[in-house]
Amino acid sequence: MADTTQELLQRIEALERRLNTPPPPASPGSSFAYVPASTGDSFFLLCSGLMVFFMQCGFGMLESGSVTSRSTQAILLKNLLDACISGLLWWMVGHAVAFDGGNGFIGGEVGFSPSSFFTAGYRNADDPGYSYLLWWFQWTFAAAAGTIVSGAVAERAQLLAYLAYTFILTAVIYPIIVHWCWSEAGWLSTKNGHLDSGGNFTSDAVLDGVIDFAGSGVVHLTGGTAGFFGALIIGPRHGRFEVVYDGSKPPRRGRPLQLPGHAPVLQALGTFILWLGWYGFNAGSQLRIATPGASEVIGRIVVNTTLSAAGSGLVSLAIATLGQWRRGTVNYEVPAICNGILAGLVSITAGCACMLPWAAFLTGFIGAFVYYGASKLMLKLKIDDPLDAFAVHGACGFWGVLAVGVFGHPEFVGFGWDGENGDVAGDEYAGFLYGGSTLFGAQLVALIIEIAWVASLSTAMFFALKMSGILRVSEEVEMAGMDVSKHGGSAYNH
């Protein structure tokens, strides 16, 4: 019996040694191989990027369902063109302007290695595969920013105008903001710093940098702000506001009139697709999965993303239903919960990695009221935004960045999300709910700078397009429908 027990113990010890011994490299032609960390990171980025790119389908469904049936083909074509144009521009200059060295304001440094201009230097990078994948992943974000604008000016913008503002946004406005906030040289980036004589990381960014983990400000506030000024300058759709003839020239705009989207089914489908893609959007922004602690961050991200979206969706539906009830009717509106879910997703995008779950829920809860207030403000200002692009992406993007300054947890907030710089921020660099004194100011300063940049360039761009006569289609084309006038007929044959 003793011999049997001793033999069993020896076998257990041998098994433990085998489990604790690193595996040998796989032999050539072997059917089995251990995946290195770099390959795991690349596969993670690939899967995340696929989900983000699939959001273009979600945008297409949501936008086409939110406009009238006579503009379905027009909005779908613009979504397809956005992917094509932004892809080429991001390949030529966009990624380089965003990430290739440079100064605090702009990248695109000549001689930077590996060069992102036309991805020319990627073959000689330390990890060519990951470099290509990172370029592609960042392009999916750029495409999303451009698509947001198309919803704000839907049903009346000329195709040529769309091509022009997509070019400016993707090649100039967006990549420079990315450089500010996400590159290692950007003057608002938490990655911008140096090692002191003791080997400690010291920030060189304004107020130690802004935390916008996946882009509430960089992507959504940029797109939403550009959309706001686009909708303001292009003017409302015919029939969106009552025309009041009181002697003023031109006649002033009165109360808003209903001009609902033609397909709630497409709106709901688009929302579900976007919600799915947002897990890639937020979790994928971790960029690597094989580094120590990455799985915990990714797990926290998907939980926080879910809670914020769910909470905001329910609150938005409740607000809309209460408004109906006060007017004597009760209608449970699909667009209300759809936009509420999206408002929650935008709100949590900046802080998805650095909040506790209860804080993520509160971020979405408050985001629903931010969305509702911004949507009503747009109507008060007589600005027609068919998709509520500014309310969802602009206003909630602003709130999302600011929320990090409120709820950012001291254990999760820090410089260097890639793990290279570590958490050296200190207790003062946390949300003011935890006694922080720096982070809220950094978030607010970054928001003011981003809005000023996007607003000034967008205003100049849309005003120039209007003065040149290529911004808006004629009244005859708009009333007949852009599908019939410009795209060969209705999208529906029935």
Side-chain angles (χ1 to χ4, degrees), residues 82-171:
D82 175 67
C84 297
I85 295 170
S86 64
L88 292 177
L89 290 173
W90 199 249
W91 172 61
M92 290 187 286
V93 296
H95 194 87
V97 169
F99 292 106
D100 280 15
N103 52 42
F105 179 79
I106 191 172
E109 178 183 333
V110 177
F112 183 84
S113 181
S115 174
S116 295
F117 287 107
F118 298 92
T119 63
Y122 286 7
R123 290 183 61 189
N124 300 318
D126 294 336
D127 187 346
Y130 189 82
S131 296
Y132 282 118
L133 282 167
L134 183 61
W135 172 92
W136 172 72
F137 182 75
Q138 293 294 348
W139 160 66
T140 62
F141 279 55
T147 303
I148 292 169
V149 184
S150 68
V153 296
E155 297 201 83
R156 68 265 202 215
Q158 288 196 44
L159 182 61
L160 185 58
Y162 181 81
L163 299 177
Y165 72 68
T166 299
F167 179 90
I168 298 298
L169 188 74
T170 309

Coordinates of all heavy atoms in Angstrom, one line a residue, residues 82-171:
D82 N -18.7 56.7 -47.0 CA -17.9 57.1 -45.8 C -16.9 56.1 -45.5 O -15.7 56.4 -45.3 CB -18.9 57.3 -44.6 CG -18.1 57.5 -43.3 OD1 -17.5 58.6 -43.2 OD2 -18.0 56.6 -42.5
A83 N -17.2 54.8 -45.6 CA -16.2 53.7 -45.4 C -15.2 53.8 -46.4 O -14.0 53.6 -46.1 CB -17.0 52.4 -45.4
C84 N -15.5 54.0 -47.7 CA -14.5 54.0 -48.8 C -13.6 55.2 -48.7 O -12.4 55.0 -48.8 CB -15.3 53.9 -50.1 SG -16.3 52.5 -50.4
I85 N -14.2 56.3 -48.6 CA -13.4 57.6 -48.6 C -12.5 57.6 -47.4 O -11.3 57.9 -47.4 CB -14.3 58.8 -48.7 CG1 -15.0 58.8 -50.0 CG2 -13.4 60.1 -48.5 CD1 -16.1 59.9 -50.1
S86 N -13.0 57.3 -46.2 CA -12.2 57.4 -45.0 C -11.1 56.4 -45.0 O -10.0 56.6 -44.4 CB -13.1 57.2 -43.7 OG -13.7 55.9 -43.7
G87 N -11.4 55.2 -45.6 CA -10.3 54.2 -45.6 C -9.1 54.7 -46.4 O -8.0 54.5 -46.0
L88 N -9.4 55.3 -47.6 CA -8.2 55.8 -48.4 C -7.5 56.9 -47.7 O -6.3 57.0 -47.7 CB -8.8 56.2 -49.8 CG -9.3 55.1 -50.7 CD1 -9.8 55.6 -52.0 CD2 -8.2 54.0 -51.0
L89 N -8.3 57.9 -47.1 CA -7.6 59.0 -46.5 C -6.9 58.6 -45.2 O -5.8 59.1 -45.0 CB -8.7 60.0 -46.1 CG -9.4 60.8 -47.3 CD1 -10.5 61.6 -46.8 CD2 -8.3 61.6 -48.0
W90 N -7.4 57.6 -44.5 CA -6.6 57.1 -43.3 C -5.4 56.4 -43.7 O -4.4 56.5 -43.0 CB -7.5 56.2 -42.5 CG -7.1 56.0 -41.1 CD1 -6.6 54.9 -40.5 CD2 -7.1 57.0 -40.0 NE1 -6.3 55.1 -39.2 CE2 -6.6 56.4 -38.9 CE3 -7.5 58.4 -40.0 CZ2 -6.5 57.1 -37.6 CZ3 -7.4 59.0 -38.8 CH2 -6.9 58.4 -37.6
W91 N -5.4 55.8 -44.9 CA -4.2 55.1 -45.4 C -3.2 56.1 -45.9 O -2.0 56.0 -45.6 CB -4.6 54.2 -46.5 CG -3.5 53.6 -47.3 CD1 -2.5 52.8 -46.8 CD2 -3.2 53.7 -48.7 NE1 -1.6 52.4 -47.8 CE2 -2.1 53.0 -49.0 CE3 -3.8 54.4 -49.7 CZ2 -1.5 52.9 -50.3 CZ3 -3.3 54.3 -51.0 CH2 -2.2 53.6 -51.3
M92 N -3.6 57.2 -46.5 CA -2.7 58.2 -47.1 C -2.1 59.1 -46.0 O -0.9 59.2 -45.9 CB -3.4 59.0 -48.2 CG -3.7 58.2 -49.4 SD -4.4 59.2 -50.8 CE -6.1 59.5 -50.2
V93 N -3.0 59.7 -45.2 CA -2.4 60.7 -44.3 C -3.0 60.6 -42.9 O -2.3 61.0 -41.9 CB -2.7 62.1 -44.8 CG1 -2.0 62.4 -46.1 CG2 -4.2 62.4 -45.0
G94 N -4.2 60.1 -42.7 CA -4.9 60.2 -41.4 C -4.2 59.6 -40.3 O -3.9 60.3 -39.2
H95 N -3.8 58.4 -40.4 CA -3.1 57.7 -39.3 C -1.7 58.3 -39.0 O -1.3 58.4 -37.8 CB -2.9 56.2 -39.6 CG -2.5 55.3 -38.4 ND1 -3.5 54.8 -37.6 CD2 -1.3 55.0 -37.9 CE1 -2.9 54.1 -36.7 NE2 -1.6 54.2 -36.8
A96 N -1.1 58.8 -40.0 CA 0.2 59.4 -39.8 C 0.1 60.7 -39.0 O 0.9 61.0 -38.1 CB 0.9 59.7 -41.2
V97 N -0.9 61.5 -39.4 CA -1.1 62.8 -38.7 C -1.5 62.5 -37.2 O -1.1 63.3 -36.4 CB -2.3 63.6 -39.4 CG1 -2.7 64.7 -38.5 CG2 -1.8 64.0 -40.8
A98 N -2.2 61.4 -37.0 CA -2.6 61.1 -35.6 C -1.5 60.5 -34.8 O -1.3 60.9 -33.6 CB -3.8 60.1 -35.7
F99 N -0.6 59.7 -35.3 CA 0.2 58.9 -34.5 C 1.7 58.9 -34.8 O 2.5 58.5 -34.0 CB -0.2 57.4 -34.5 CG -1.5 57.2 -33.8 CD1 -2.6 56.9 -34.6 CD2 -1.7 57.2 -32.5 CE1 -3.9 56.7 -34.0 CE2 -2.9 57.0 -31.9 CZ -4.0 56.7 -32.6
D100 N 2.1 59.5 -35.9 CA 3.5 59.5 -36.2 C 4.3 60.7 -35.6 O 4.5 61.7 -36.2 CB 3.7 59.5 -37.8 CG 3.5 58.2 -38.4 OD1 3.0 57.3 -37.7 OD2 3.9 58.0 -39.6
G101 N 4.7 60.5 -34.4 CA 5.6 61.5 -33.7 C 5.0 62.9 -33.7 O 3.9 63.1 -33.4
G102 N 5.9 63.8 -34.2 CA 5.5 65.2 -34.3 C 5.6 66.0 -33.0 O 6.2 65.5 -32.0
N103 N 4.9 67.1 -32.9 CA 4.9 67.9 -31.7 C 3.6 67.7 -31.0 O 2.8 66.8 -31.3 CB 5.1 69.4 -32.1 CG 4.1 69.9 -33.2 OD1 2.9 69.5 -33.1 ND2 4.6 70.6 -34.1
G104 N 3.3 68.6 -30.0 CA 2.1 68.4 -29.2 C 0.8 68.6 -30.0 O -0.3 68.1 -29.7
F105 N 0.9 69.4 -31.1 CA -0.3 69.7 -31.9 C -0.6 68.7 -33.0 O -1.8 68.4 -33.2 CB -0.2 71.1 -32.5 CG -1.3 71.6 -33.3 CD1 -2.5 72.1 -32.7 CD2 -1.3 71.5 -34.7 CE1 -3.6 72.5 -33.4 CE2 -2.4 71.9 -35.4 CZ -3.5 72.4 -34.8
I106 N 0.4 68.3 -33.8 CA 0.1 67.5 -34.9 C 1.2 66.5 -35.1 O 2.4 66.7 -34.8 CB 0.0 68.4 -36.2 CG1 -0.5 67.6 -37.4 CG2 1.3 69.1 -36.5 CD1 -0.9 68.5 -38.6
G107 N 0.9 65.3 -35.7 CA 1.8 64.3 -36.0 C 2.3 64.4 -37.4 O 2.4 65.5 -37.9
G108 N 2.6 63.3 -38.0 CA 3.0 63.3 -39.4 C 4.5 63.6 -39.5 O 4.9 64.2 -40.6
E109 N 5.3 63.3 -38.5 CA 6.7 63.6 -38.5 C 7.4 62.9 -39.7 O 7.3 61.7 -39.8 CB 7.3 63.3 -37.2 CG 8.8 63.5 -37.1 CD 9.3 63.1 -35.7 OE1 8.6 63.0 -34.7 OE2 10.5 62.7 -35.6
V110 N 8.2 63.6 -40.5 CA 8.9 63.0 -41.6 C 10.1 62.3 -40.9 O 10.8 62.8 -40.1 CB 9.5 64.1 -42.5 CG1 10.3 63.5 -43.6 CG2 8.3 64.9 -43.1
G111 N 10.3 61.1 -41.4 CA 11.4 60.2 -40.8 C 11.0 59.4 -39.7 O 11.8 58.6 -39.1
F112 N 9.7 59.5 -39.2 CA 9.3 58.7 -38.1 C 9.2 57.2 -38.5 O 8.9 56.9 -39.7 CB 7.9 59.2 -37.7 CG 7.3 58.4 -36.5 CD1 7.7 58.8 -35.2 CD2 6.5 57.3 -36.6 CE1 7.2 58.1 -34.1 CE2 6.0 56.7 -35.6 CZ 6.3 57.1 -34.3
S113 N 9.6 56.4 -37.6 CA 9.6 54.9 -38.0 C 8.8 54.1 -36.9 O 8.9 54.3 -35.7 CB 11.1 54.4 -38.0 OG 11.1 53.0 -38.3
P114 N 7.9 53.3 -37.4 CA 7.6 53.0 -38.9 C 6.6 54.1 -39.4 O 5.6 54.4 -38.7 CB 6.9 51.6 -38.8 CG 6.3 51.6 -37.5 CD 7.1 52.3 -36.5
S115 N 6.8 54.5 -40.6 CA 6.0 55.6 -41.2 C 4.6 55.0 -41.5 O 4.4 54.0 -42.1 CB 6.6 56.1 -42.5 OG 5.8 57.0 -43.1
S116 N 3.6 55.8 -41.2 CA 2.2 55.5 -41.5 C 1.7 56.1 -42.7 O 0.5 55.8 -43.1 CB 1.3 55.9 -40.3 OG 1.6 55.1 -39.1
F117 N 2.4 57.0 -43.4 CA 2.0 57.5 -44.7 C 1.9 56.3 -45.7 O 2.9 55.7 -46.0 CB 3.0 58.5 -45.2 CG 2.9 59.9 -44.4 CD1 3.9 60.2 -43.5 CD2 1.8 60.7 -44.6 CE1 3.8 61.4 -42.9 CE2 1.7 61.9 -43.9 CZ 2.7 62.3 -43.1
F118 N 0.7 56.0 -46.1 CA 0.5 54.9 -47.0 C 1.0 53.6 -46.4 O 1.3 52.6 -47.1 CB 1.2 55.1 -48.4 CG 0.7 56.3 -49.1 CD1 1.4 57.5 -49.0 CD2 -0.3 56.2 -50.0 CE1 0.9 58.7 -49.7 CE2 -0.8 57.3 -50.7 CZ -0.2 58.5 -50.6
T119 N 1.1 53.5 -45.1 CA 1.6 52.4 -44.3 C 2.9 51.9 -44.9 O 3.3 50.7 -44.8 CB 0.6 51.2 -44.3 OG1 0.4 50.7 -45.7 CG2 -0.7 51.6 -43.7
A120 N 3.7 52.8 -45.4 CA 5.0 52.5 -46.1 C 6.0 51.8 -45.2 O 6.8 51.0 -45.7 CB 5.6 53.8 -46.7
G121 N 6.0 52.2 -43.9 CA 7.1 51.6 -43.1 C 6.7 50.4 -42.3 O 7.5 49.9 -41.5
Y122 N 5.5 49.9 -42.5 CA 5.0 48.8 -41.6 C 5.7 47.5 -41.8 O 5.8 46.7 -40.9 CB 3.5 48.6 -41.8 CG 2.7 49.7 -41.1 CD1 3.3 50.8 -40.6 CD2 1.3 49.6 -41.0 CE1 2.6 51.8 -40.0 CE2 0.5 50.6 -40.5 CZ 1.2 51.7 -39.9 OH 0.4 52.7 -39.3
R123 N 6.2 47.3 -43.0 CA 6.9 46.0 -43.3 C 8.2 45.9 -42.5 O 8.6 44.8 -42.2 CB 7.2 45.9 -44.8 CG 6.0 45.7 -45.7 CD 6.5 45.5 -47.2 NE 7.3 44.4 -47.3 CZ 8.0 44.1 -48.5 NH1 7.9 44.9 -49.5 NH2 8.7 43.0 -48.6
N124 N 8.8 47.0 -42.1 CA 10.0 47.0 -41.3 C 9.7 47.2 -39.8 O 10.7 47.5 -39.1 CB 10.9 48.1 -41.9 CG 11.3 47.8 -43.3 OD1 11.6 46.7 -43.7 ND2 11.3 48.9 -44.1
A125 N 8.5 47.2 -39.4 CA 8.2 47.4 -38.0 C 8.6 46.2 -37.2 O 8.8 45.1 -37.7 CB 6.7 47.7 -37.8
D126 N 8.7 46.4 -35.9 CA 9.0 45.3 -35.0 C 8.0 44.2 -35.1 O 8.4 43.0 -35.0 CB 9.2 45.8 -33.5 CG 10.3 46.7 -33.3 OD1 11.3 46.7 -34.1 OD2 10.3 47.6 -32.4
D127 N 6.7 44.5 -35.2 CA 5.7 43.5 -35.4 C 4.8 44.0 -36.5 O 3.8 44.7 -36.3 CB 4.9 43.4 -34.1 CG 3.9 42.3 -34.1 OD1 3.6 41.7 -35.2 OD2 3.4 41.9 -33.0
P128 N 5.1 43.7 -37.7 CA 4.4 44.2 -38.9 C 2.9 43.9 -38.8 O 2.0 44.7 -39.1 CB 5.0 43.5 -40.1 CG 6.4 43.2 -39.6 CD 6.2 42.8 -38.2
G129 N 2.5 42.7 -38.4 CA 1.1 42.3 -38.4 C 0.3 43.2 -37.4 O -0.8 43.6 -37.8
Y130 N 0.9 43.4 -36.3 CA 0.1 44.2 -35.3 C 0.1 45.7 -35.8 O -1.0 46.3 -35.5 CB 0.8 44.1 -33.9 CG 0.0 44.8 -32.8 CD1 -1.0 44.1 -32.2 CD2 0.3 46.1 -32.4 CE1 -1.8 44.7 -31.2 CE2 -0.5 46.7 -31.4 CZ -1.5 46.0 -30.8 OH -2.2 46.6 -29.8
S131 N 1.1 46.2 -36.4 CA 1.1 47.5 -36.9 C 0.0 47.7 -38.0 O -0.8 48.7 -37.9 CB 2.4 47.9 -37.6 OG 3.5 47.9 -36.6
Y132 N -0.2 46.8 -38.9 CA -1.2 46.8 -39.9 C -2.6 46.8 -39.2 O -3.5 47.5 -39.5 CB -1.1 45.7 -40.9 CG -0.1 45.9 -41.9 CD1 1.0 45.0 -42.0 CD2 -0.2 46.9 -42.8 CE1 2.0 45.2 -43.0 CE2 0.8 47.1 -43.8 CZ 1.9 46.2 -43.9 OH 2.8 46.4 -44.9
L133 N -2.7 45.9 -38.2 CA -4.0 45.7 -37.5 C -4.4 47.0 -36.7 O -5.6 47.4 -36.7 CB -4.0 44.5 -36.6 CG -4.2 43.2 -37.3 CD1 -3.8 42.0 -36.3 CD2 -5.6 43.0 -37.8
L134 N -3.4 47.6 -36.1 CA -3.7 48.8 -35.3 C -4.1 49.9 -36.3 O -5.0 50.7 -35.9 CB -2.4 49.2 -34.6 CG -2.6 50.5 -33.6 CD1 -3.6 50.2 -32.6 CD2 -1.3 50.8 -33.0
W135 N -3.5 50.0 -37.4 CA -3.9 51.0 -38.4 C -5.4 50.8 -38.8 O -6.2 51.7 -38.8 CB -3.1 50.9 -39.7 CG -3.6 51.8 -40.8 CD1 -3.3 53.0 -41.1 CD2 -4.6 51.4 -41.8 NE1 -4.0 53.5 -42.2 CE2 -4.8 52.5 -42.6 CE3 -5.4 50.2 -42.0 CZ2 -5.8 52.5 -43.7 CZ3 -6.3 50.2 -43.0 CH2 -6.5 51.4 -43.8
W136 N -5.7 49.6 -39.0 CA -7.1 49.2 -39.5 C -8.1 49.5 -38.3 O -9.2 50.0 -38.6 CB -7.1 47.7 -39.9 CG -8.4 47.2 -40.1 CD1 -9.3 47.4 -41.2 CD2 -9.2 46.2 -39.3 NE1 -10.4 46.7 -41.1 CE2 -10.4 46.0 -40.0 CE3 -8.9 45.6 -38.1 CZ2 -11.3 45.1 -39.4 CZ3 -9.8 44.7 -37.6 CH2 -11.0 44.5 -38.3
F137 N -7.7 49.1 -37.1 CA -8.6 49.3 -36.0 C -8.9 50.8 -35.8 O -10.0 51.2 -35.6 CB -8.0 48.7 -34.7 CG -8.8 48.9 -33.5 CD1 -9.9 48.1 -33.3 CD2 -8.5 49.8 -32.5 CE1 -10.7 48.2 -32.1 CE2 -9.3 49.9 -31.4 CZ -10.4 49.1 -31.2
Q138 N -7.9 51.6 -35.9 CA -8.1 53.1 -35.7 C -8.9 53.7 -36.9 O -9.6 54.6 -36.7 CB -6.7 53.8 -35.6 CG -5.9 53.5 -34.4 CD -6.5 54.0 -33.1 OE1 -7.5 54.8 -33.2 NE2 -6.0 53.6 -32.0
W139 N -8.8 53.1 -38.1 CA -9.6 53.5 -39.2 C -11.1 53.3 -38.9 O -11.9 54.2 -39.3 CB -9.2 52.8 -40.5 CG -10.3 52.9 -41.5 CD1 -10.8 54.0 -42.2 CD2 -11.2 51.8 -42.0 NE1 -11.8 53.7 -43.0 CE2 -12.1 52.4 -42.9 CE3 -11.2 50.5 -41.7 CZ2 -13.1 51.6 -43.5 CZ3 -12.2 49.7 -42.3 CH2 -13.1 50.3 -43.2
T140 N -11.4 52.2 -38.3 CA -12.9 52.0 -38.0 C -13.4 53.1 -37.1 O -14.6 53.4 -37.2 CB -13.1 50.6 -37.4 OG1 -12.4 50.5 -36.1 CG2 -12.6 49.5 -38.3
F141 N -12.6 53.6 -36.2 CA -13.0 54.7 -35.4 C -13.2 56.0 -36.2 O -14.2 56.8 -36.1 CB -12.0 55.0 -34.3 CG -12.1 54.1 -33.1 CD1 -12.1 52.7 -33.3 CD2 -12.3 54.6 -31.8 CE1 -12.2 51.8 -32.2 CE2 -12.4 53.7 -30.7 CZ -12.3 52.4 -30.9
A142 N -12.3 56.3 -37.1 CA -12.4 57.4 -38.0 C -13.6 57.4 -38.9 O -14.3 58.4 -39.1 CB -11.1 57.5 -38.9
A143 N -14.0 56.2 -39.4 CA -15.2 56.0 -40.2 C -16.4 56.3 -39.4 O -17.4 56.9 -39.9 CB -15.2 54.6 -40.8
A144 N -16.4 55.9 -38.1 CA -17.6 56.2 -37.2 C -17.8 57.7 -37.0 O -18.9 58.1 -37.1 CB -17.4 55.5 -35.9
A145 N -16.7 58.4 -36.8 CA -16.8 59.9 -36.6 C -17.5 60.5 -37.8 O -18.3 61.4 -37.7 CB -15.5 60.5 -36.3
G146 N -17.1 60.1 -39.0 CA -17.7 60.7 -40.2 C -19.1 60.4 -40.4 O -19.9 61.2 -40.9
T147 N -19.5 59.2 -40.1 CA -20.9 58.7 -40.2 C -21.9 59.5 -39.4 O -23.0 59.7 -39.7 CB -21.0 57.2 -39.9 OG1 -20.1 56.5 -40.8 CG2 -22.4 56.7 -40.2
I148 N -21.4 59.9 -38.2 CA -22.3 60.7 -37.3 C -22.8 61.9 -37.9 O -23.9 62.3 -37.8 CB -21.5 61.0 -36.0 CG1 -21.2 59.7 -35.2 CG2 -22.2 62.0 -35.1 CD1 -20.2 59.9 -34.1
V149 N -21.9 62.6 -38.7 CA -22.3 63.9 -39.3 C -23.4 63.7 -40.3 O -24.3 64.5 -40.5 CB -21.0 64.5 -39.9 CG1 -21.4 65.9 -40.5 CG2 -19.9 64.7 -38.9
S150 N -23.3 62.6 -41.1 CA -24.3 62.4 -42.1 C -25.7 62.3 -41.6 O -26.6 62.7 -42.3 CB -24.0 61.1 -42.9 OG -24.2 59.9 -42.1
G151 N -25.9 61.8 -40.4 CA -27.2 61.8 -39.8 C -27.8 63.2 -39.5 O -29.0 63.4 -39.6
A152 N -26.9 64.1 -39.1 CA -27.4 65.4 -38.8 C -27.9 66.2 -39.9 O -28.7 67.1 -39.8 CB -26.3 66.2 -38.0
V153 N -27.3 66.0 -41.1 CA -27.7 66.7 -42.3 C -28.5 65.9 -43.3 O -28.6 66.2 -44.5 CB -26.5 67.4 -43.0 CG1 -25.8 68.4 -42.1 CG2 -25.5 66.3 -43.4
A154 N -29.0 64.8 -42.9 CA -29.7 63.8 -43.7 C -30.9 64.5 -44.5 O -31.5 65.4 -44.0 CB -30.2 62.6 -42.9
E155 N -31.2 64.0 -45.6 CA -32.3 64.3 -46.5 C -32.2 65.6 -47.2 O -33.2 66.0 -47.9 CB -33.6 64.2 -45.7 CG -33.9 62.8 -45.1 CD -35.4 62.6 -44.8 OE1 -36.2 62.3 -45.8 OE2 -35.8 62.8 -43.7
R156 N -31.1 66.4 -47.0 CA -31.1 67.6 -47.8 C -29.7 68.0 -48.2 O -29.5 69.0 -48.8 CB -31.7 68.8 -47.0 CG -31.0 69.3 -45.7 CD -31.6 68.6 -44.5 NE -31.3 69.4 -43.3 CZ -31.1 68.8 -42.1 NH1 -31.0 67.5 -42.0 NH2 -30.9 69.6 -41.1
A157 N -28.6 67.3 -47.8 CA -27.3 67.6 -48.2 C -26.9 67.0 -49.5 O -27.3 65.9 -49.8 CB -26.3 67.1 -47.1
Q158 N -26.2 67.8 -50.4 CA -25.8 67.2 -51.7 C -24.7 66.2 -51.5 O -23.9 66.3 -50.5 CB -25.3 68.4 -52.5 CG -26.3 69.3 -53.1 CD -25.8 70.2 -54.2 OE1 -25.1 69.7 -55.1 NE2 -26.2 71.4 -54.2
L159 N -24.6 65.3 -52.4 CA -23.6 64.3 -52.4 C -22.2 64.9 -52.4 O -21.3 64.5 -51.7 CB -23.7 63.3 -53.6 CG -22.7 62.2 -53.6 CD1 -22.9 61.3 -52.4 CD2 -23.0 61.3 -54.9
L160 N -22.0 66.0 -53.2 CA -20.7 66.6 -53.3 C -20.3 67.2 -52.0 O -19.1 67.2 -51.6 CB -20.7 67.7 -54.4 CG -19.4 68.4 -54.7 CD1 -18.3 67.3 -55.1 CD2 -19.5 69.4 -55.8
A161 N -21.3 67.8 -51.3 CA -21.0 68.4 -50.0 C -20.6 67.3 -49.0 O -19.7 67.5 -48.2 CB -22.2 69.1 -49.5
Y162 N -21.2 66.2 -49.1 CA -20.9 65.1 -48.2 C -19.4 64.6 -48.5 O -18.7 64.4 -47.5 CB -21.8 63.9 -48.4 CG -21.6 62.7 -47.5 CD1 -22.0 62.7 -46.2 CD2 -20.8 61.6 -48.0 CE1 -21.7 61.6 -45.4 CE2 -20.5 60.6 -47.2 CZ -21.0 60.6 -45.9 OH -20.7 59.5 -45.1
L163 N -19.1 64.5 -49.7 CA -17.7 64.1 -50.0 C -16.7 65.1 -49.5 O -15.6 64.7 -49.0 CB -17.5 63.9 -51.5 CG -18.4 62.9 -52.2 CD1 -18.2 62.9 -53.7 CD2 -18.2 61.5 -51.7
A164 N -17.0 66.4 -49.6 CA -16.1 67.4 -49.1 C -15.9 67.4 -47.6 O -14.8 67.4 -47.1 CB -16.6 68.8 -49.6
Y165 N -17.0 67.3 -46.8 CA -16.8 67.4 -45.4 C -16.3 66.0 -44.9 O -15.6 66.0 -43.8 CB -18.1 67.8 -44.7 CG -19.3 66.9 -44.6 CD1 -19.2 65.7 -43.9 CD2 -20.5 67.2 -45.2 CE1 -20.3 64.9 -43.8 CE2 -21.6 66.4 -45.1 CZ -21.5 65.2 -44.4 OH -22.6 64.4 -44.3
T166 N -16.5 64.9 -45.5 CA -15.9 63.7 -45.1 C -14.4 63.8 -45.3 O -13.6 63.3 -44.5 CB -16.5 62.5 -45.9 OG1 -17.9 62.4 -45.7 CG2 -15.8 61.2 -45.6
F167 N -14.0 64.4 -46.4 CA -12.5 64.6 -46.6 C -11.9 65.4 -45.5 O -10.9 65.0 -45.0 CB -12.3 65.2 -48.0 CG -10.9 65.5 -48.4 CD1 -10.1 64.5 -49.0 CD2 -10.3 66.7 -48.0 CE1 -8.8 64.7 -49.3 CE2 -8.9 66.9 -48.3 CZ -8.2 65.9 -49.0
I168 N -12.5 66.6 -45.2 CA -11.9 67.5 -44.2 C -11.9 66.8 -42.8 O -10.9 66.9 -42.1 CB -12.7 68.8 -44.2 CG1 -12.6 69.5 -45.6 CG2 -12.1 69.7 -43.1 CD1 -11.2 69.9 -45.9
L169 N -13.0 66.2 -42.5 CA -13.1 65.6 -41.2 C -12.1 64.5 -41.0 O -11.4 64.4 -40.0 CB -14.5 65.0 -41.0 CG -14.8 64.5 -39.6 CD1 -15.0 65.7 -38.6 CD2 -16.1 63.7 -39.6
T170 N -12.0 63.6 -42.0 CA -11.1 62.4 -41.9 C -9.6 62.8 -42.0 O -8.8 62.1 -41.4 CB -11.5 61.4 -42.9 OG1 -12.9 61.1 -42.8 CG2 -10.7 60.0 -42.6
A171 N -9.3 63.7 -42.8 CA -7.9 64.1 -43.1 C -7.3 65.1 -42.2 O -6.1 65.2 -42.0 CB -7.7 64.5 -44.5

